[in-house]
Amino acid sequence: GIGRVAAGSVLLVANMKQPFSDAKGLISYAKANPGKVSFSGVKNVLPYMTAQAFANAAGIKFKHIPAKGDAGAVPMALGGHTNLVASSSLNAVASHLEAGTMTAIVAFSEERLPEIPKTPTAIELGFNVTGSPWTGIAVAKGVPEAIITKLRAELKAVVANPDFVVRATKAKTTVSYLDGPSFEKQWEREFTNFKGVVGK
């Protein structure tokens, strides 16, 4: 891996009518009501896999209700047809969080999102699960180490460039740089978390 350029976060979000309002309450409720907690989303894409990986790590089970992306999943949760939505990004639910019609239960970023600072990450809760839609650069095996080193240095310089950050921000992209080794560790962690939930 050369490095990660940008990253967002999958979120588990609930409407305000649920019998839980935080992750601890969700886990307790799910354990007391096996198979009753549902979430909406597209199967076998990042939000789905992240929600299922979190459930596995927490020792609970979620019932998946298919939906066509955030545009289909968010109304299902708002209308009470599902308990949760596994949202692909903060942007998809921001207006509902601001209006107080939904609450963010857990974020799957590496650190708390500054826009919703009260929402804990799964890592903080003791579960090594992340779900960050990211953009990064990698090269094929066999590329000489000297070239990899140069590419890593060039990428680091690009993402530190104020003009690049401004352009990315205007495009609603959160610059979140990871160097090559750290980026590779993220890949490894996600592979481990998600290999047991794809296709289930």
Side-chain angles (χ1 to χ4, degrees), residues 103-191:
T103 183
I105 302 294
V106 59
F108 294 97
S109 45
E110 290 154 358
E111 297 178 351
R112 290 194 185 202
L113 298 177
E115 299 90 343
I116 48 172
K118 293 182 180 179
T119 303
T121 66
I123 292 173
E124 283 183 83
L125 297 169
F127 307 110
N128 189 27
V129 177
T130 57
S132 297
W134 48 259
T135 302
I137 298 174
V139 294
K141 285 185 178 181
V143 173
E145 195 63 35
I147 293 175
I148 291 174
T149 299
K150 181 169 178 54
L151 289 172
R152 286 177 172 174
E154 291 295 330
L155 179 64
K156 185 175 183 179
V158 167
V159 298
N161 185 307
D163 289 340
F164 174 80
V165 174
V166 168
R167 287 173 181 265
T169 302
K170 284 182 179 178
K172 298 192 180 299
T173 297
T174 302
V175 176
S176 180
Y177 172 72
L178 278 183
D179 64 21
S182 298
F183 185 38
E184 289 172 359
K185 286 179 183 176
Q186 179 184 16
W187 277 11
E188 291 169 5
R189 181 174 62 236
E190 290 183 357
F191 180 80

Side-chain angles (χ1 to χ4, degrees), residues 90-101:
L90 178 59
N91 284 345
V93 293
S95 62
H96 303 293
L97 297 178
E98 290 168 7
T101 53

Side-chain angles (χ1 to χ4, degrees), residues 9-12 38-56 62-67 69-70 73 84-89 108 129-133 193-200:
S9 179
V10 171
L11 299 168
L12 273 185
S38 60
F39 77 97
S40 48
V42 179
K43 190 171 185 177
N44 289 339
V45 296
L46 183 62
Y48 169 90
M49 293 188 294
T50 303
Q52 296 290 42
F54 174 72
N56 289 348
F62 288 151
K63 180 179 179 182
H64 174 243
I65 308 297
D70 289 325
L84 302 162
V85 58
S87 175
S88 65
S89 71
F108 294 97
V129 177
T130 57
S132 297
N193 284 336
F194 298 149
K195 68 180 180 181
V197 300
V198 176
K200 293 188 177 180

